[in-house]
Amino acid sequence: MKSRIWLSSPHMGGNELKYIQEAFDTNWIAPLGPNVTGFEADLKQFLNTDKEVGALSSGTAAIHLGLILSGVVAGDEVICQSMTFSASANPILYQGAIPVFVDSEEVTWNMCPIHLEAAIKDRIANGKKPKAIILVHLYGMPAKIDQIVAIANKYEIALIEDAAEALGSTYKGKNCGTFGSYAALSFNGNKIITTSGGGAIVCNTSASKKKAIFLATQARDDAAHYQHSEIGYNYRMSNIVAGIGRGQMEVLDKHISLRRDMQQFYKNIFKDVAGVTVFEEPNDDYFSNHWLSCIKVDESKASFKREDLRLALWEENIESRPLWKPMHLQPIFEKYAYYGTNICEDLFNNGLCLPSGSNLTTQEKERITQVIAAFLA
Ligand SMILES: Cc1ncc(COP(=O)(O)O)c(C=O)c1O
């Protein structure tokens, strides 16, 4: 059996163990310590922002805290991009709030501003203004941020950016994760940099970061004994995990460049293939980290079906996956309101994510090329 080629696997830089060793040497084996503060400082510097970064146990925790800090409580409505991973939407339910799903547009595959505004108007007409908007930058592609921010501002609704997949992506030169009132980053095992599992929240002010960390560390009031006036969570990042993050920050720029090379690699492979479009930035305002390279197959023009390509790769032990299945089609979320047509449904039916790791070897790329060439022939 040939070795598995993964969609996206961890890629260590080399210095991660050095930071972990330092944590052991100084006995900072806790959810706080120099690696945590160092990793936060590295992220803040990388994002080139005045905002504050708090390291957490996951990106999901960051979205959950972003909702709490935006004042979302039980019964509130929260607008969420339908085309995403379930972790964008689950925290809405953790809060006892009600998701309202919005379709994507065809250019960035992210939230459609037209459907967003229609949804807000309709919810207001129904007597309830949404409390927050969760915008995702899928596969690293920045959303139509100017338009979404303008709508969020017009209706005075908090914007939470789910930038879990978009560390290193920029829109008009500004980093994804710095546009919303809050943003979530993820360092899960499959992300552009990983801490094995972990995330971060980006907050507008140091006061809101302080509150986020307070909630993430069991909401302990200021007292010698254990005193609690609010519900707390155990969401802080460990100092060991943050050590991996510090090592990964040293190679983040390299990973971005290698992921972008993978997208070029697929553009080359599919350049003369009818009915296949490789996902790419619409213009120079957008810079994607191309966390995952994806294609869309127009079966009316292509000589094959998306699913057959997936199976051909799978037979050779090469992982590829359909694009995210929209939330409004998921059994757990299908009872909630949805505004849109069938753009995200069409993307799910015809899109494919391809192996995109920054650690793919020349031989692995050669294998991918050969399997796709043989399939197309
Ligand atoms: C779009 C999106 N949102 C949220 C998450 C959740 O991040 P985490 O796994 O760190 O909780 C992920 C990845 O896992 C994701 O891809």
Side-chain angles (χ1 to χ4, degrees):
M1 187 67 166
K2 288 181 187 133
S3 61
R4 169 78 47 87
I5 297 181
W6 299 96
L7 208 56
S8 181
S9 67
H11 184 190
M12 292 298 104
N15 278 337
E16 292 82 3
L17 280 173
K18 184 192 88 178
Y19 291 104
I20 292 175
Q21 188 63 51
E22 274 172 25
F24 272 75
D25 291 345
T26 52
N27 205 27
W28 279 107
I29 317 291
L32 78 167
N35 282 337
V36 174
T37 40
F39 186 38
E40 289 175 345
D42 292 346
L43 285 165
K44 181 177 158 89
Q45 190 183 11
F46 179 85
L47 292 174
N48 191 21
T49 181
D50 292 339
K51 298 190 182 216
E52 298 298 332
V53 181
L56 301 175
S57 55
S58 70
T60 312
I63 297 169
H64 188 196
L65 292 180
L67 288 171
I68 296 173
L69 293 167
S70 301
V72 172
V73 294
D76 282 341
E77 292 191 350
V78 174
I79 293 185
C80 183
Q81 184 166 318
S82 182
M83 174 95 182
T84 187
F85 179 50
S86 65
S88 309
N90 281 331
I92 302 171
L93 297 190
Y94 302 168
Q95 278 308 93
I98 302 158
V100 172
F101 293 109
V102 167
D103 201 359
S104 292
E105 33 78 14
E106 286 183 76
V107 176
T108 75
W109 298 0
N110 294 307
M111 191 182 281
C112 170
I114 296 165
H115 290 308
L116 169 64
E117 186 155 25
I120 295 171
K121 282 183 173 162
D122 194 52
R123 300 324 288 178
I124 292 172
N126 279 339
K128 212 169 209 180
K129 188 170 102 172
K131 225 21 181 320
I133 298 165
I134 299 175
L135 173 69
V136 192
H137 307 295
L138 276 189
Y139 306 118
M141 185 63 73
K144 290 192 170 177
I145 297 178
D146 275 353
Q147 292 176 55
I148 304 283
V149 167
I151 294 168
N153 289 343
K154 178 174 165 189
Y155 293 93
E156 298 180 331
I157 302 175
L159 180 66
I160 298 170
E161 269 182 282
D162 179 346
E165 301 174 1
L167 180 60
S169 300
T170 61
Y171 176 72
K172 294 187 175 170
K174 199 174 159 208
N175 278 285
C176 287
T178 62
F179 292 91
S181 331
Y182 297 97
L185 303 172
S186 169
F187 314 112
N188 198 355
N190 62 0
K191 295 299 185 289
I192 194 152
I193 58 165
T194 183
T195 57
S196 70
I201 184 165
V202 185
C203 302
N204 264 343
T205 62
S206 50
S208 58
K209 173 182 168 180
K210 202 169 161 212
K211 184 77 200 243
I213 300 308
F214 167 77
L215 294 172
T217 49
Q218 307 287 21
R220 279 182 247 170
D221 292 342
D222 200 7
H225 58 278
Y226 287 102
Q227 172 85 12
H228 306 275
S229 318
E230 286 182 66
I231 299 175
Y233 303 87
N234 188 0
Y235 279 172
R236 196 62 161 134
M237 180 178 275
S238 119
N239 194 55
I240 303 296
V241 159
I244 309 178
R246 294 197 76 186
Q248 289 274 280
M249 286 306 287
E250 295 178 7
V251 289
L252 175 53
D253 283 327
K254 191 174 105 195
H255 285 198
I256 295 166
S257 152
L258 289 165
R259 296 255 174 184
R260 287 177 57 81
D261 288 351
M262 284 310 298
Q263 191 254 7
Q264 279 301 324
F265 166 78
Y266 289 112
K267 274 179 80 172
N268 240 345
I269 289 185
F270 290 106
K271 68 176 184 295
D272 296 321
V273 180
V276 176
T277 14
V278 177
F279 191 34
E280 63 181 345
E281 293 95 334
N283 58 52
D284 289 347
D285 287 345
Y286 295 80
F287 177 90
S288 171
N289 66 10
H290 287 300
W291 168 60
L292 290 189
S293 290
C294 310
I295 55 167
K296 195 178 162 204
V297 180
D298 178 347
E299 289 182 4
S300 71
K301 295 191 186 123
S303 58
F304 64 93
K305 290 194 181 343
R306 185 282 313 265
E307 189 55 7
D308 292 337
L309 173 57
R310 192 185 71 77
L311 292 172
L313 289 162
W314 190 240
E315 264 170 37
E316 294 295 322
N317 214 7
I318 299 172
E319 185 187 23
S320 70
R321 276 180 192 271
L323 302 187
W324 297 123
K325 181 174 179 180
M327 292 304 111
H328 73 280
L329 303 176
Q330 301 283 358
I332 183 74
F333 292 121
E334 65 192 3
K335 67 176 180 224
Y336 298 106
Y338 168 68
Y339 292 83
T341 52
N342 55 2
I343 302 289
C344 59
E345 206 167 333
D346 179 54
L347 287 166
F348 168 60
N349 288 327
N350 298 305
L352 192 67
C353 303
L354 296 162
S356 306
S358 47
N359 52 358
L360 289 176
T361 63
T362 311
Q363 289 81 351
E364 286 172 324
K365 287 192 243 182
E366 189 52 38
R367 250 176 80 196
I368 296 169
T369 309
Q370 279 170 6
V371 172
I372 295 177
F375 170 79
L376 293 172

